[in-house]
Amino acid sequence: IRMADGWQLRRPAPRLGEHTEEVTKELASRHAADGPIGTTGSTGTTGAHASAVEVNETRLPLEGLRVLDLTVVWAGPYVTMFLADLGADVIRIDNPWIFPAATRGVLPRPPRVLTDRVGGIFGGYPDGEPGDRPWNRVALFTAHARGKRSITLDMRKPLGREMFLRLVDTADVLVENNSVDLLTKLDIDWPILHERNPRLVVVRMPSVGLAGPYRNYLGFGVNFEGLCGLTALRGYPDLDLTENETVFHMDAASGSAGAFAVLAALRRREATGDGELVELSQSENMLNHIGEYLIDATWNGDRAERLGNRHRTRAPQGVYPAGGGIDQWVAISVGSDDQWQALCQLIGAPELAGLDQSERGARHDDLDTRIVAWTKDRTASEAFIACQEAGIPAGPVLHEVESLNDPHLRARGMFRPNGSQELGNHEYPAHAWHWDGPPLHWGSIPVLGGDNEAVYRGLLSISDDEWQALQDDGHISRDYLSPDGSSL
C-alpha cells in the first residue's frame, strides 16, 4: 500500500513482543478520549473533532461516514462490504447503460442452458416474467452487496458528472477497482476529487499499479495470481500447470487489504485533516502472501516445490478418500510424534508408531496407503470424529450443502438469512469476524437503482425539476438499458 506522499522507515523490524508495554500504555492513555472516526457528511461532525466526542459503546466504528462505491466483480465490492459491516453508509453507483459482465452475470437475461452450465455465481437465475431483473439475483453480486444502497448514474454525461461531484461533497471515502484510466476518462481523477473535497479518501485498486510497464494489463484475479507466481506454487508435483484449478485468492486478499487501507487513511485524516489517495496494487498485495517463496528464490535461487496436500514439516498430511458416497474426503495432518502414535493406534499400525518426523516424510507414500485403507471404510465425518477424539488434527472436506448443514458451522453462526424483494431470502456466510462491540451491520441486499429517490431527493435534496432532468437524461432506472432505452 502506497500513500500519495510516500513513506519513510521509522523503526527497524521489531522483536517478538518488544513493544507490548509501550502499546498497552498508549492505548490506556488514549482510551477515555478516543471516539468513533468523524465524518464530513451531512451530520457536520469532522474527524478533527473526534477526540472530543464522548465514547458511545453502541456506535459502530464507521457509523456516520459515507462511502461511494465504484467497484466491480469481487475484490472492490468486498472492500465496501466490510465498510458497510462496520457501519458506513455505502452508496453503490452503477451506469444503467453499461451492463457489467461478471459483476451482474454473464448476460442480462441468461438462457436456462447457460445458467445450468456456468452455475448461479455468474449465470444468475434464468429470465422469468416480463419485467423480471435477473441481474439482481446473480450470486457473485449478492454475496458481497449486503448493507449498501444502489443508485444509477451515467457519469459520461455532464449532468451525471455534476451530480456525482455533488455526492463527492457529502462523502468521506471513494473506492474503485476499474481499469486504470477510467477516472481520467470520466474527468473525475484524483486532482479533481481532492479539489472538490479535500478530506476525501480515495482508494484505487489497479491490478498491477497506476504506473509502470504493466499498468494497462487487464484480467481477473486468477490471471494475476499466475503473473505473481501463486498458481505455480499450487497443485500436485506431477500436474501440468495448465491443468491447475483456480482458487481466486487475490480477490479475497485484496478485499481485506483494501478495507484496512481505508481505515489507515481515515486514521491519518484524523491527525492531518487531509484526505488521501491510496494506491493498492492488487498484485503487490498478492506478493505479500507468498513472501517467503520470493525471498527464498531471490536469496538462495531456489524454485519452490509444489507439495499438493502435503506439508514441509508435518507428516503424514493429506486429503484421503472416505466412504459413504462419491467424492467424499477427509483431511488429516500429523504434527507431532504423539499425534502420529495416536493415529497408528486408530489405523491398526502399531509397528509404525516409532517413526519420527523425518522418517515419516521419507515414507509418506507408504503411510498414505495405510491411512487410505482405514479412511475408505468410514465416512468423512466418522474418520474426522475418531481423529478428533484421539487428538489428531482432521476435518471432513465438505460440499456446499454439507457446509450449510454442518452442526459446528451452525453453532458458530456461520450463516444467516438475507435477501431483497426480487431475490427472496436465502442464507449467506455471516460476518467474517466477531468482536465485543455493538452488533455489526447486516443490511439487506440492494436492487439496481432501488435507492435513487432516497439518495437524490433525500441526501442531496434535489428539486423536482432536477429529478425530472435526471429522468429525462437517462440516469434513473431500475433496469440495464439497450441503446434505444428499452430494458436489456
Side-chain angles (χ1 to χ4, degrees), residues 68-70 91-99 104 149-168 174 182 186 188 448-452 455-456 460 462 466-467 469-471 473-481:
L68 301 184
D69 182 339
L70 299 180
I91 301 175
R92 180 173 178 83
I93 305 168
D94 285 297
N95 187 339
W97 298 92
I98 300 176
F99 182 76
R104 291 283 194 163
R149 298 200 277 178
S150 173
I151 66 170
T152 52
L153 190 66
D154 187 350
M155 288 184 283
R156 300 172 301 176
K157 299 178 178 180
L159 179 58
R161 179 180 180 274
E162 178 54 33
M163 197 61 63
F164 172 74
L165 291 177
R166 287 173 66 173
L167 281 170
V168 167
L174 184 150
L182 179 63
L186 294 174
I188 54 169
L448 181 71
D451 299 285
N452 280 332
V455 171
Y456 290 123
L460 296 184
I462 68 172
E466 288 176 313
W467 174 254
L470 283 172
Q471 290 183 312
D473 204 27
H475 300 282
I476 305 301
S477 180
R478 299 288 291 267
D479 300 278
Y480 284 104
L481 304 172

Side-chain angles (χ1 to χ4, degrees), residues 166-184:
R166 287 173 66 173
L167 281 170
V168 167
D169 292 339
T170 75
D172 298 276
V173 179
L174 184 150
V175 182
E176 69 89 23
N177 67 317
N178 298 275
S179 58
V180 292
D181 292 322
L182 179 63
L183 296 191
T184 301

